[in-house]
């Protein structure tokens, strides 16, 4: 019994059969109601035949009414009426059944024809693979629901194609970044292994190199884990950007002293709602980046103000960013100066992480000003009343 119940379950029926059954049910209900009311009315009319009243109007006189009992005139009247009722009910049932059967058959063919575009659309969807996401489906000219569904599906394909392309690029870049320190370690170990005797300085150089490269790998793995876990972090903290910046300055003060950079925070504050941990990381990366790529004895200034949104601007006194690189610097693993970035231990993910954190908070980060005297990068976030 379980097998038959599952086999006949409505969930296992096609859309065409479900529409056919639904419309057939409506037709059956309508025919049943019509059969009931029409038959009831006809039968009641037949049963109401009892007496006839005959009016006789002689010339120049008042009409005379004569009551005539039909049973006297037609002794077998009751049997004839009953037979007529039975025949009427039987014929009505036959006609109703034929109407229902024909309506169901017509409904099946009509729904089959109406669902043909949807069936074609389904067949085309089955042919979509990861390799042909860039090939949109042909949009029907009917301008109906199927046409709108096809356009929406093409939009989804475009988003998926962009996401897959970005993911492929990200994976390729990550593999390249991971391969570089591994290749350095492998090469140095092979050279070290080929020598039969080693001086103490060679051991020191080898261990220093291994420590640097493993630290670089650990730093890269940490950033990659941070980027993959952003969506799960709770973003309900009420945050003062001025207090957050003070904490960032306190933590980066030794780094600034090492590079002889002054950290300056102007007056101004704004409150936003989000994740304190993530926004701290975003501001930290912006300020750290401004310190590393600054001129000696330069400065990093953070200015916080609000208009329609909360704006945190980080201004440095570095060499500036060329216009063609001002948007690319927020892409993962992109470096303006690759040799300098590698020398400083950068993985090319700091600003990409800032961009993703801003996006997770319904904000954005962008270069607002850049010249030979320095650059300004703005972190723009919705204020607490807007978030």
């Amino acid at each position: 019994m379980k097998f038959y119940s599952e086999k006949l379950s409505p969930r296992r029926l096609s859309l065409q059969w479900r529409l056919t059954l639904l419309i057939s049910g409506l037709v059956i209900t309508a025919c049943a109601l019509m059969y009931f009311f029409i038959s009831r009315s006809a039968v009641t009319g037949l049963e109401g035949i009892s007496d006839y009243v005959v009016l006789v109007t002689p010339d120049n006189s008042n009409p005379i009414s004569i009551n005539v009992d039909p049973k006297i005139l037609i002794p077998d009247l009751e049997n004839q009426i009953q037979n007529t009722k039975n025949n009427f009910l039987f014929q009505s049932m036959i006609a109703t059944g034929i109407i229902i059967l024909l309506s169901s058959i017509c409904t099946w063919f009509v729904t089959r024809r109406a669902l043909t575009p949807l069936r074609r659309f389904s067949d085309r969807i089955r042919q979509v693979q990861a390799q042909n996401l860039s090939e949109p489906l042909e949009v029907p000219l009917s301008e109906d629901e199927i046409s709108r569904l096809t356009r929406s599906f093409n939009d989804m394909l475009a988003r998926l194609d962009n996401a897959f392309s970005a993911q492929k690029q990200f994976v390729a870049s990550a593999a390249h970044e991971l391969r570089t320190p591994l290749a350095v370690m492998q090469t140095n170990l092979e050279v070290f292994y080929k020598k039969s005797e080693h001086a103490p300085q060679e051991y020191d150089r080898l261990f220093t190199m291994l420590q640097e490269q493993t630290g670089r790998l650990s730093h890269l793995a940490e950033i990659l884990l941070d980027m993959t876990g952003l969506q799960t972090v709770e973003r309900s903290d009420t945050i003062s950007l001025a207090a957050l910046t003070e904490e960032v300055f306190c933590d980066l003060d030794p780094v600034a002293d090492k590079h002889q950079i002054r950290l300056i925070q102007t007056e101004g504050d704004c409150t936003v709602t989000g994740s304190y941990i993530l926004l701290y990381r975003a501001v930290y990366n912006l300020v750290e980046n401004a310190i590393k790529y600054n001129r000696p004895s330069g400065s990093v200034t953070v200015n916080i103000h609000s208009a329609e949104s909360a704006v945190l601007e980080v201004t440095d006194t570095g060499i500036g960013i060329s216009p063609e690189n001002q948007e690319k610097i927020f892409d993962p693993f992109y470096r303006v100066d690759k040799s300098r970035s590698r020398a400083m231990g950068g993985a090319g993910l700091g600003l990409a992480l800032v961009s993703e954190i801003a996006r997770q908070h319904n904000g954005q980060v962008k270069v607002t000003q850049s010249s030979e005297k320095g650059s300004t990068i703005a972190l723009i976030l919705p204020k607490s009343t807007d978030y």
Side-chain angles (χ1 to χ4, degrees):
M1 292 297 294
K2 183 178 180 181
F3 171 77
Y4 287 107
S5 62
E6 291 180 353
K7 187 175 181 180
L8 298 177
S9 174
R11 295 182 180 179
R12 295 180 177 271
L13 295 176
S14 64
L15 179 60
Q16 180 181 353
W17 274 110
R18 278 184 281 174
L19 287 174
T20 301
L21 293 177
L22 177 62
I23 297 175
S24 297
L26 294 175
V27 172
I28 291 172
T29 303
C31 289
L33 292 174
M34 290 179 62
Y35 172 79
F36 175 78
F37 288 112
I38 293 176
S39 300
R40 186 72 176 172
S41 176
V43 170
T44 303
L46 289 175
E47 292 177 347
I49 298 176
S50 57
D51 296 334
Y52 286 100
V53 177
V54 180
L55 296 179
V56 180
T57 306
D59 295 338
N60 299 325
S61 63
N62 295 325
I64 302 172
S65 298
I66 302 175
N67 293 328
V68 179
D69 186 0
K71 297 178 182 179
I72 298 176
L73 299 176
I74 308 174
D76 197 25
L77 179 62
E78 290 185 359
N79 292 333
Q80 294 183 13
I81 292 176
Q82 186 62 38
N83 291 335
T84 302
K85 291 194 312 185
N86 294 336
N87 291 335
F88 179 79
L89 293 175
F90 179 74
Q91 293 174 0
S92 298
M93 291 179 62
I94 295 297
T96 302
I98 293 174
I99 292 174
I100 292 173
L101 179 61
L102 293 177
S103 299
S104 300
I105 295 175
C106 292
T107 300
W108 191 85
F109 283 103
V110 169
T111 54
R112 179 181 178 84
R113 182 175 180 82
L115 293 176
T116 298
L118 186 60
R119 193 176 296 107
R120 294 174 182 168
F121 179 71
S122 177
D123 293 337
R124 292 198 298 268
I125 289 178
R126 290 195 191 98
Q127 300 173 1
V128 175
Q129 303 293 333
Q131 295 78 11
N132 60 355
L133 288 176
S134 59
E135 301 176 5
L137 302 182
E138 182 180 355
V139 180
L141 301 177
S142 54
E143 296 298 332
D144 55 5
E145 287 78 3
I146 301 298
S147 176
R148 291 193 291 271
L149 180 62
T150 305
R151 289 194 182 92
S152 299
F153 186 79
N154 286 339
D155 292 340
M156 184 190 69
L157 283 182
R159 293 193 296 270
L160 286 175
D161 185 47
N162 293 334
F164 270 103
S165 299
Q167 185 184 37
K168 290 178 182 178
Q169 181 64 35
F170 184 85
V171 171
S173 300
H176 178 75
E177 292 296 326
L178 291 171
R179 184 178 61 182
T180 301
L182 291 174
V184 172
M185 288 189 290
Q186 183 178 4
T187 302
N188 282 270
L189 288 173
E190 289 176 353
V191 172
F192 185 84
Y193 180 75
K194 289 179 179 180
K195 292 185 178 180
S196 58
E197 296 181 359
H198 304 281
Q201 295 83 358
E202 291 179 316
Y203 284 101
D204 292 338
R205 285 197 298 269
L206 179 65
F207 293 149
T208 301
M209 180 274 301
L210 291 175
Q211 185 178 15
E212 291 177 353
Q213 298 303 325
T214 53
R216 181 178 172 185
L217 288 173
S218 299
H219 178 65
L220 178 60
E222 181 182 353
I223 295 178
L224 290 175
L225 288 175
D226 288 341
M227 295 190 70
T228 56
L230 293 181
Q231 292 82 0
T232 60
V233 178
E234 184 69 26
R235 298 185 291 274
S236 58
D237 302 328
T238 301
I239 304 164
S240 167
L241 293 180
L244 186 146
T245 303
E246 289 178 5
E247 184 176 353
V248 170
F249 275 12
C250 181
D251 294 339
L252 284 175
D253 190 60
V255 180
D257 289 341
K258 180 180 177 181
H259 290 80
Q260 299 179 349
I261 302 297
R262 290 182 300 116
L263 300 180
I264 303 171
Q265 180 177 356
T266 62
E267 294 185 0
D269 191 14
C270 193
T271 302
V272 298
T273 302
S275 168
Y276 187 89
I277 296 176
L278 294 183
L279 291 180
Y280 170 87
R281 185 61 180 271
V283 176
Y284 185 98
N285 285 359
L286 288 175
V287 176
E288 183 187 35
N289 197 71
I291 293 173
K292 288 182 177 180
Y293 298 97
N294 213 320
R295 289 190 174 95
S297 302
S299 64
V300 174
T301 303
V302 174
N303 177 35
I304 301 171
H305 61 89
S306 64
E308 296 180 356
S309 302
V311 181
L312 185 146
E313 294 178 331
V314 179
T315 303
D316 60 49
T317 55
I319 60 176
I321 306 170
S322 60
E324 61 270 16
N325 291 321
Q326 290 183 6
E327 293 185 2
K328 296 179 181 179
I329 61 173
F330 300 106
D331 295 337
F333 302 105
Y334 185 82
R335 298 182 180 90
V336 177
D337 187 346
K338 294 181 173 57
S339 60
R340 188 180 181 189
S341 298
R342 294 188 186 278
M344 294 181 178
L349 288 173
L351 293 180
L353 184 60
V354 174
S355 178
E356 182 62 20
I357 292 174
R359 191 180 69 84
Q360 291 295 327
H361 287 78
N362 295 331
Q364 61 175 322
V365 60
K366 62 181 181 179
V367 179
T368 58
Q369 180 273 331
S370 185
S371 66
E372 296 179 353
K373 297 181 179 180
S375 305
T376 299
I377 298 180
L379 176 63
I380 304 171
L381 300 168
K383 292 187 291 187
S384 292
T385 56
D386 300 330
Y387 188 72

